[in-house]
Amino acid sequence: MASDKKQLMVEIKRLNEELDNLRSIDTYEESKQTLASEAKTRKTPTTSTSLKIKKLLRGHYGKIYSLHWAANGTNQLVSASQDGKLIIWNAMTCAKLHAIPLRSSWVMTCAYSPSGTFVGSGGLDNLCSLYKIPSIDEHDLNQEYKPHCEFAEHEGYLSCCRFLDDEKMFTSSGDSTCIMWDIEKKKCIHRMTAHKSDVMSLSIVKEKNIMVSGSCDQTAILWDIRKAEPIMSFPGHKGDINSVDFFPDGQAFGCGSDDSSVRLFDIRTFRQQQKYVDDTLAGCSVTSICFSKSGKYIFSG
């Protein structure tokens, strides 16, 4: 009985060491990433798609740097432009519901809270500004939009903001950190400091209490948002990671990078599942990615 227990402990120790080795950035070898290596020798059949413009939203007068859909089924989205405005749209009717003037036109990101109560934005002013969206009954054409609150803990530009719910949100910055904020108390809850360079993008799965961040240090980090601690670092890209997005089931995520590739990582095996490249786009950075609702397609640009 004692010998069986000792043998079991030895086996557990060996497996833990093997798991640590698999998670280590120092031992990462792209050739050993199973599906990635198979993809080099297996010709995957391609399917042609015919994409057409369904709606065209007109109203901005400068570069549009970011947009984010509301998750409450209202067909609404918010867009941020260097004309210095946030515009909230009804995507089906193309109607502008709200036009919010910003203090700084150098905006880089925007986000819609899941309930549709708040929108947030930020950019080169190092601030995350939150605006409360009035209901239809409260809407006034002459209304002045003032920030509900402004978060000012970052020491670098604000690259991305995402809501967890109406009580908490996350921001990423050029100061190499991510911050969890308490919206009601208007203060920083946790500062997350595992990246070594600018953090460019965030994606959250609330149901699993996880978040992924992509950085100019060429890695993506998976976080436990309950503890605000990193779970695993995912290397592989040869350039800055500009965009990350979770697969619809929350079991994998994609990254778009300056190395002209999009990669798919599985968070259960801590491994790269696939690498997507197009030889005709070599040398072009991937600055944004997004999965379709079913997960069949991944869009990049």
Side-chain angles (χ1 to χ4, degrees):
M1 186 71 178
S3 61
D4 290 343
K5 184 177 180 180
K6 184 177 180 180
Q7 186 176 357
L8 181 60
M9 294 303 293
V10 170
E11 181 65 11
I12 291 174
K13 183 178 179 181
R14 185 189 67 79
L15 291 173
N16 281 330
E17 290 175 351
E18 184 176 344
L19 183 59
D20 290 339
N21 188 55
L22 287 172
R23 292 181 177 183
S24 173
I25 296 178
D26 297 331
T27 59
Y28 176 86
E29 293 183 43
E30 185 166 330
S31 61
K32 293 183 179 180
Q33 302 296 299
T34 312
L35 293 182
S37 60
E38 290 180 3
K40 294 176 181 177
T41 57
R42 184 179 71 244
K43 291 186 177 180
T44 305
T46 58
T47 58
S48 59
T49 57
S50 179
L51 301 177
K52 297 180 180 179
I53 297 175
K54 188 172 182 180
K55 300 287 182 181
L56 184 61
L57 309 179
R58 298 181 183 274
H60 282 298
Y61 296 97
K63 291 181 181 178
I64 299 172
Y65 263 68
S66 179
L67 64 84
H68 195 231
W69 285 89
N72 56 3
T74 59
N75 294 316
Q76 293 181 12
L77 62 90
V78 59
S79 58
S81 167
Q82 286 197 344
D83 61 10
K85 285 185 172 59
L86 289 181
I87 295 182
I88 297 174
W89 309 80
N90 183 314
M92 298 307 295
T93 64
C94 300
K96 293 189 284 290
L97 305 179
H98 304 276
I100 303 173
L102 302 173
R103 293 189 182 184
S104 170
S105 61
W106 300 105
V107 62
M108 296 180 66
T109 182
C110 62
Y112 220 134
S113 69
S115 69
T117 303
F118 296 102
V119 292
S121 70
L124 297 183
D125 58 1
N126 300 3
L127 298 175
C128 180
S129 302
L130 263 62
Y131 297 86
K132 193 168 185 178
I133 306 305
S135 65
I136 295 176
D137 296 334
E138 298 172 338
H139 184 48
D140 181 358
L141 292 176
N142 298 317
Q143 178 176 353
E144 291 187 13
Y145 294 91
K146 295 182 179 179
H148 173 74
C149 61
E150 290 182 330
F151 299 132
E153 292 279 339
H154 282 298
E155 298 176 1
Y157 62 87
L158 202 80
S159 57
C160 188
C161 60
R162 290 292 179 263
F163 287 89
L164 183 65
D165 47 37
D166 284 350
E167 298 175 356
K168 293 182 177 66
M169 73 177 301
F170 291 85
T171 57
S172 63
S173 171
D175 63 9
S176 308
T177 69
C178 303
I179 293 180
M180 179 195 293
W181 303 92
D182 186 308
I183 295 174
E184 183 178 352
K185 295 180 180 178
K186 303 179 182 180
K187 68 176 186 178
C188 167
I189 303 174
H190 296 292
R191 184 181 294 270
M192 303 151 82
T193 58
H195 281 294
K196 298 177 181 178
S197 189
D198 303 24
V199 186
M200 300 303 296
S201 182
L202 302 172
S203 185
I204 301 171
V205 180
K206 181 181 178 182
E207 296 75 16
K208 295 180 179 294
N209 293 304
I210 53 176
M211 179 182 79
V212 65
S213 58
S215 169
C216 293
D217 62 12
Q218 303 180 9
T219 66
I221 292 180
L222 182 69
W223 301 85
D224 183 333
I225 59 179
R226 294 165 297 185
K227 302 177 181 178
E229 294 178 354
I231 300 172
M232 173 64 184
S233 183
F234 294 80
H237 278 292
K238 307 301 182 185
D240 299 354
I241 295 177
N242 298 313
S243 182
V244 293
D245 190 37
F246 267 108
F247 194 75
D249 66 1
Q251 302 289 5
F253 66 88
C255 298
S257 169
D258 279 350
D259 64 9
S260 308
S261 75
V262 174
R263 302 185 189 225
L264 181 67
F265 295 93
D266 190 294
I267 68 172
R268 294 162 294 184
T269 60
F270 300 109
R271 295 311 241 186
Q272 178 178 297
Q273 284 198 325
Q274 191 57 280
K275 176 182 176 181
Y276 305 94
V277 293
D278 187 333
D279 293 339
T280 62
L281 300 177
C284 298
S285 299
V286 179
T287 59
S288 182
I289 66 166
C290 183
F291 284 101
S292 63
K293 194 169 183 179
S294 67
K296 181 178 180 180
Y297 298 106
I298 182 170
F299 299 90
S300 65

